[in-house]
């Protein structure tokens, strides 16, 4: 009876997650598109639903909700379904819609879709060869074989996003990185823009008057014919007439300059708004968060470097370890096990919520940047693939943030994976991503004032 109740709770929660994914698809991703493929919408919503269910099961592990046998069953079933979607269903439909957009292959799209899927499976399987991710005794279609390869891709993606986010977050929030913009700077740039627009209008007016004069004199209809006539018409012009080719080149150059000035003006207005916003209470709060994340970024880079150099992976979750160090240092009586459970629950909950929110925001921006009416279905399926791999990999990494007694079922379900490898791999990619982001943002911040100071 308890298994039926537990299953009912899981089914209801999966329906709710599926509905949220459906609404996000309709209201956010495809709100500007009339043509929607029903199968794409279902696949995206199902992937989102089962991904969120894994996070729900992590919270249930800490809180002790549901029977342990029920949790194990739903863990197993959830992982099997999400792996089938990520490895078999989504890649096949990506190939199908790619082939469908090619008119020459339209009649044989099913055959070519299968060929593309087989190509994906070959490279997906070869991906596991260079990495020590698995014990060789597992079968070809075991959960361990699939999740180990999905984990490599997902952990790499997570590390890249985390490295950039750890650097970009303080750069975005802190007022220290804002360059000083005054009304005089904006007025000067606007004046240059207006002068450029006046010059464009003046030159286009000259071109229009020259064409009208040529038409009235009959030069348009009585142009010399033949090869030598064409050479003469290019190299010479009638007395008192304008060189239209030269003027057109000047107009093109001025129009490009006007576009650059407009973008720079808009950038200055945005920077000025950020300066004014930073003076408000909310802006000061985010500025404080920026300093906090700066310290976190430095600490994370330092710890990633230490972990890589000394080839170490923590055995105890950060919450329990931190409480133990504090209690031993202060010498007080404290129930470490009780409080580590509750603090771990809050920490894991924050990680889950921010991961889901951050990924959805990133996916939305990416979709709007590159999608079109023909490619939108393929891009949504790619986003579903990335989302599923990202969330599966989050389970591998969040496992280390949980107290040891709550990892048992997750470890049993995931199988004999080389968990230490994934944490070391995350540290390596995070360090590369963070240092690259620091270099990129430093160069961008350094060049921005020089660009606006140029005459």
């Amino acid at each position: 009876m308890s298994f039926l109740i537990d299953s009912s709770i899981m089914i209801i929660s999966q329906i709710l997650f599926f509905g949220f994914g459906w609404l996000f698809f309709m209201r956010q991703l495809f709100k500007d598109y009339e043509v929607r493929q029903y199968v794409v919408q279902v696949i995206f919503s199902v992937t989102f639903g089962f991904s969120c269910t894994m996070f729900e099961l992590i919270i249930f592990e800490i809180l002790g909700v549901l029977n342990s046998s029920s949790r194990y069953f739903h863990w197993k079933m959830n992982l099997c379904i999400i792996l089938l979607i990520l490895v078999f269903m989504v890649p096949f439909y990506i190939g199908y819609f790619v082939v469908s957009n090619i008119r020459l292959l339209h009649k044989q799209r099913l055959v070519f879709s299968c060929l593309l899927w087989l190509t994906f499976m070959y490279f997906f399987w070869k991906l596991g060869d260079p990495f020590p991710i698995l014990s060789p005794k597992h079968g070809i279609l075991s959960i361990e074989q699939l999740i180990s390869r999905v984990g490599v891709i997902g952990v790499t993606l997570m590390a890249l996003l985390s490295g950039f986010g750890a650097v970009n977050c303080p750069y975005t929030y802190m007022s220290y990185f804002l360059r000083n913009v005054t009304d005089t700077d904006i007025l000067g740039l606007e004046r240059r823009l207006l002068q450029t627009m006046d010059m464009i209008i003046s030159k286009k007016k000259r071109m229009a008057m020259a064409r009208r004069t040529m038409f009235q004199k009959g030069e348009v209809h009585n142009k010399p014919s033949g090869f030598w006539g064409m050479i003469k018409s290019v190299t010479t012009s009638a007395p008192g007439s304008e060189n239209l080719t030269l003027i057109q080149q000047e107009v093109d150059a001025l129009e490009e300059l006007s576009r650059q000035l407009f973008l720079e003006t808009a950038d200055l207005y945005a920077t000025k708004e950020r300066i004014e916003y930073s003076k408000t209470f909310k802006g000061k709060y985010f500025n404080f968060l920026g300093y906090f994340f700066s310290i976190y970024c430095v600490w994370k880079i330092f710890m990633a470097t230490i972990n890589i150099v000394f080839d170490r992976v923590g055995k105890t979750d950060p919450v329990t370890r931190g409480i133990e160090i504090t209690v031993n240092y202060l010498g007080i009586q404290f129930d470490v096990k009780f409080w580590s459970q509750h603090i771990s629950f809050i920490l894991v909950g924050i990680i889950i919520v921010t991961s889901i929110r951050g990924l959805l925001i990133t996916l939305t921006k990416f979709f709007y940047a590159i999608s079109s009416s023909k490619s939108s279905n393929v891009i949504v399926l790619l986003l579903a693939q990335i989302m599923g791999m990202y969330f599966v990999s989050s389970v591998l990494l969040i496992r280390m943030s949980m107290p040891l007694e709550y990892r048992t079922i997750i470890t049993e379900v995931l199988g004999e994976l080389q968990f230490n490898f994934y944490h070391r791999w995350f540290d390596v990619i995070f360090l590369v991503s963070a240092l690259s982001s620091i270099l990129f943002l430093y160069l961008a911040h350094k060049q921005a004032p020089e660009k606006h100071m140029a005459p």
Side-chain angles (χ1 to χ4, degrees):
M1 187 66 181
S2 62
F3 178 77
L4 292 176
I5 295 174
D6 295 345
S7 299
S8 300
I9 294 173
M10 294 304 302
I11 291 171
I12 291 171
S13 62
Q14 285 174 344
I15 291 173
L16 292 175
F17 291 139
F18 177 87
F20 183 82
W22 188 280
L23 287 175
F24 177 77
F25 183 95
M26 295 284 290
R27 301 285 180 86
Q28 198 69 30
L29 288 183
F30 263 59
K31 64 180 181 180
D32 297 326
Y33 295 89
E34 295 297 330
V35 181
R36 302 185 182 97
Q37 290 289 341
Y38 184 75
V39 67
V40 174
Q41 192 169 355
V42 171
I43 290 174
F44 181 88
S45 303
V46 168
T47 306
F48 180 81
F50 279 97
S51 299
C52 291
T53 303
M54 287 191 299
F55 287 144
E56 181 187 37
L57 286 169
I58 290 176
I59 294 176
F60 284 176
E61 288 292 330
I62 298 176
L63 296 179
V65 179
L66 307 185
N67 198 325
S68 60
S69 60
S70 299
R71 292 200 304 270
Y72 180 83
F73 171 80
H74 286 288
W75 263 116
K76 202 80 172 179
M77 184 186 69
N78 200 83
L79 272 176
C80 288
I81 293 175
I82 195 71
L83 289 174
L84 286 173
I85 292 172
L86 295 178
V87 178
F88 298 97
M89 184 180 292
V90 176
F92 173 78
Y93 274 104
I94 289 175
Y96 180 82
F97 283 109
V98 168
V99 172
S100 298
N101 290 330
I102 303 174
R103 187 173 299 176
L104 296 175
L105 307 178
H106 196 268
K107 292 183 179 180
Q108 302 295 329
R109 59 181 180 272
L110 193 60
V111 175
F112 285 100
S113 301
C114 293
L115 289 176
L116 284 176
W117 178 79
L118 290 173
T119 304
F120 163 79
M121 285 301 299
Y122 172 79
F123 286 105
F124 177 76
W125 214 257
K126 296 298 288 183
L127 178 68
D129 292 348
F131 298 103
I133 54 180
L134 190 61
S135 174
K137 67 181 182 180
H138 294 98
I140 295 178
L141 294 179
S142 63
I143 288 181
E144 290 85 357
Q145 290 280 7
L146 298 177
I147 201 170
S148 60
R149 288 160 172 78
V150 169
V152 171
I153 301 172
V155 168
T156 303
L157 177 66
M158 284 185 65
L160 288 172
L161 293 177
S162 299
F164 177 75
V167 175
N168 186 60
C169 187
Y171 180 79
T172 302
Y173 288 158
M174 291 174 62
S175 57
Y176 173 79
F177 294 105
L178 293 175
R179 64 180 182 275
N180 187 26
V181 175
T182 62
D183 292 334
T184 305
D185 298 329
I186 297 176
L187 288 174
L189 206 56
E190 287 180 339
R191 191 177 298 111
R192 287 181 58 194
L193 179 59
L194 290 175
Q195 290 174 351
T196 305
M197 297 300 294
D198 289 339
M199 291 173 66
I200 292 173
I201 294 172
S202 174
K203 289 184 179 297
K204 285 188 174 182
K205 187 183 295 184
R206 284 172 56 190
M207 291 175 62
M209 293 178 64
R211 287 195 179 99
R212 186 180 66 176
T213 303
M214 291 170 63
F215 180 80
Q216 290 175 347
K217 293 181 178 180
E219 296 179 11
V220 175
H221 300 287
N222 299 323
K223 284 185 177 180
S225 59
F227 176 77
W228 291 109
M230 183 178 64
I231 295 296
K232 186 177 179 181
S233 64
V234 173
T235 56
T236 62
S237 59
S241 65
E242 299 282 0
N243 190 334
L244 297 181
T245 304
L246 181 60
I247 297 177
Q248 183 62 50
Q249 291 176 354
E250 294 175 356
V251 169
D252 293 339
L254 288 171
E255 287 179 341
E256 179 62 29
L257 176 61
S258 68
R259 281 190 288 269
Q260 295 296 326
L261 290 173
F262 177 81
L263 292 174
E264 291 177 19
T265 305
D267 186 41
L268 286 184
Y269 270 111
T271 304
K272 185 183 177 184
E273 289 179 1
R274 285 185 59 194
I275 292 173
E276 293 175 352
Y277 176 76
S278 66
K279 297 176 182 178
T280 63
F281 177 79
K282 192 174 181 181
K284 292 178 180 178
Y285 166 73
F286 280 108
N287 186 44
F288 171 77
L289 281 183
Y291 283 101
F292 173 78
F293 281 115
S294 297
I295 298 172
Y296 169 79
C297 178
V298 174
W299 176 81
K300 189 71 176 175
I301 292 174
F302 173 76
M303 292 305 299
T305 306
I306 295 296
N307 292 338
I308 293 169
V309 172
F310 293 99
D311 191 21
R312 68 169 198 170
V313 176
K315 303 297 182 184
T316 308
D317 66 286
V319 174
T320 304
R321 183 62 179 162
I323 293 176
E324 288 177 351
I325 293 174
T326 304
V327 169
N328 292 331
Y329 179 77
L330 297 177
I332 59 176
Q333 295 293 326
F334 195 79
D335 191 345
V336 176
K337 183 177 180 181
F338 174 80
W339 285 105
S340 65
Q341 176 183 355
H342 290 78
I343 298 175
S344 293
F345 167 70
I346 296 172
L347 175 65
V348 171
I350 292 172
I351 293 173
I352 289 171
V353 171
T354 53
S355 296
I356 294 174
R357 179 181 177 274
L359 185 64
L360 291 180
I361 291 173
T362 304
L363 293 184
T364 304
K365 292 179 179 179
F366 183 77
F367 179 78
Y368 286 157
I370 68 173
S371 65
S372 64
S373 58
K374 288 187 176 181
S375 65
S376 57
N377 291 313
V378 176
I379 293 172
V380 167
L381 289 173
L382 284 172
L383 297 183
Q385 183 83 351
I386 293 171
M387 177 176 64
M389 290 184 172
Y390 181 94
F391 288 153
V392 169
S393 304
S394 297
V395 174
L396 291 174
L397 298 179
I398 288 176
R399 170 187 166 277
M400 188 60 72
S401 299
M402 300 170 62
L404 191 61
E405 59 269 23
Y406 303 120
R407 304 180 196 172
T408 307
I409 291 181
I410 299 177
T411 305
E412 290 178 4
V413 171
L414 294 176
E416 298 179 7
L417 298 179
Q418 301 295 328
F419 293 104
N420 291 347
F421 161 76
Y422 292 103
H423 289 279
R424 284 196 296 269
W425 182 248
F426 179 89
D427 288 334
V428 171
I429 302 300
F430 174 86
L431 187 61
V432 172
S433 176
L435 295 178
S436 301
S437 301
I438 290 174
L439 179 62
F440 173 78
L441 292 176
Y442 170 76
L443 294 176
H445 184 76
K446 184 179 180 181
Q447 291 177 0
E450 296 176 358
K451 180 178 67 174
H452 291 295
M453 288 173 63

